[in-house]
Amino acid sequence: MFIQWLKTFQCYYFILPIDLYVIVQELDRLDKKILSILYSARLLSIDPKEALKDSIYDEGLLETRLDHLYKQNLITRDLRITDKGKDCLQIVFAGGVFDIIHPGHIHTLRSAKSLGDILVVVIARDSTAIKSKGKKPMHNEHLRCELVGSLKFVDAAILGREGDIFKSVEYVRPNIIALGYDQVHEESLIAEECKKRGLNIQVIRLDSPIPDLKSTRIKELLGKSIYNF
């Protein structure tokens, strides 16, 4: 009850003892973590209850916070995040082929994650990769998706939609689209197309400390010897 009272009067945090301030802030972070897990579970079509249990081990605390989020109309009783709950999150969208993961990818995706609460990475379908790169990827779309999804700072890796790439954007409905330093897409054109579709999205171009490191170059040097490519 006391903690709930403190959360209601957030404008008075500055007069709280430091230990109580930390507790309240931690609860806020936990609520956001729960919302992030539920949002990612929806994208990945996995059981939200199992996803929560895998990440939050204190069942009593979890039930308390779920009840609080439900009363705030941020989630439903069957653990689906509501539109209001989604609005509490800053969702970042990144996309690419990711055929050979290298330090440039790691830096870009980590930077993208730092822009928000959730990083959703959309993996190009094999057909899309062939169309854009002119050749078939070394690894198929499912392997590439599994690999990117295993990175700890990626909350959800999903396969893109074939044909219209903006269908993936409409599905995720992010707040930010993060472009890699070497991706050919024009920020202004992406923002304009999103606006046409009723999406208010910020487009950000990320830098890289190692811009010369690219998958194409790695394939040229090692492809034939390792992958018979």
Side-chain angles (χ1 to χ4, degrees):
M1 179 67 72
F2 182 57
I3 292 297
Q4 183 60 47
W5 181 86
L6 292 177
K7 288 174 68 62
T8 302
F9 295 91
Q10 294 184 23
C11 59
Y12 294 106
Y13 276 172
F14 67 95
I15 66 172
L16 296 177
I18 187 63
D19 55 339
L20 291 181
Y21 177 85
V22 170
I23 290 173
V24 173
Q25 291 294 88
E26 185 63 36
L27 287 173
D28 287 342
R29 287 196 294 270
L30 179 58
D31 290 344
K32 186 162 286 190
K33 180 178 181 179
I34 291 172
L35 292 175
S36 298
I37 292 171
L38 294 181
Y39 176 79
S40 298
R42 180 182 69 81
L43 287 182
L44 297 171
S45 299
I46 61 177
D47 185 346
K49 184 174 292 187
E50 292 302 317
L52 287 170
K53 287 183 178 179
D54 288 342
S55 301
I56 302 173
Y57 305 111
D58 188 329
E59 293 186 8
L61 178 60
L62 175 58
E63 289 301 320
T64 298
R65 301 320 304 161
L66 288 175
D67 185 61
H68 168 73
L69 294 173
Y70 171 73
K71 290 177 179 178
Q72 297 296 318
N73 194 32
L74 301 180
I75 64 173
T76 63
R77 279 299 185 195
D78 59 350
L79 299 182
R80 294 180 181 275
I81 188 170
T82 64
D83 288 341
K84 183 179 178 182
K86 179 180 175 296
D87 289 342
C88 294
L89 301 172
Q90 187 83 340
I91 301 168
V92 183
F93 177 109
V97 178
F98 301 102
D99 197 15
I100 299 177
I101 298 294
H102 56 70
H105 289 135
I106 299 300
H107 180 273
T108 296
L109 293 178
R110 186 181 286 120
S111 297
K113 170 68 175 183
S114 70
L115 298 174
D117 302 305
I118 296 180
L119 174 59
V120 179
V121 182
V122 176
I123 310 301
R125 294 278 188 169
D126 289 342
S127 59
T128 303
I130 292 172
K131 184 177 180 180
S132 64
K133 302 288 187 179
K135 59 181 66 176
K136 185 178 180 180
M138 292 181 179
H139 304 98
N140 68 51
E141 58 194 35
H142 299 289
L143 289 176
R144 291 184 282 114
C145 190
E146 182 178 0
L147 179 59
V148 173
S150 69
L151 299 174
K152 67 177 183 179
F153 40 81
V154 174
D155 297 284
I158 60 175
L159 291 175
R161 307 297 176 91
E162 294 185 280
D164 185 355
I165 62 173
F166 284 94
K167 290 294 184 182
S168 297
V169 179
E170 290 178 317
Y171 176 62
V172 176
R173 302 186 73 83
N175 304 97
I176 296 172
I177 293 178
L179 296 177
Y181 61 94
D182 61 345
Q183 288 185 304
V184 298
H185 310 292
E186 288 289 338
E187 295 97 312
S188 59
L189 295 180
I190 292 177
E192 182 180 346
E193 182 61 30
C194 288
K195 188 175 181 180
K196 288 180 181 178
R197 299 178 184 231
L199 301 172
N200 182 23
I201 298 175
Q202 182 181 8
V203 183
I204 297 176
R205 173 76 66 179
L206 300 173
D207 295 324
S208 172
I210 42 176
D212 294 330
L213 183 56
K214 299 182 179 182
S215 299
T216 302
R217 180 58 177 159
I218 295 174
K219 288 179 181 179
E220 290 175 353
L221 294 174
L222 303 176
K224 290 183 179 180
S225 61
I226 295 179
Y227 294 99
N228 193 29
F229 183 72

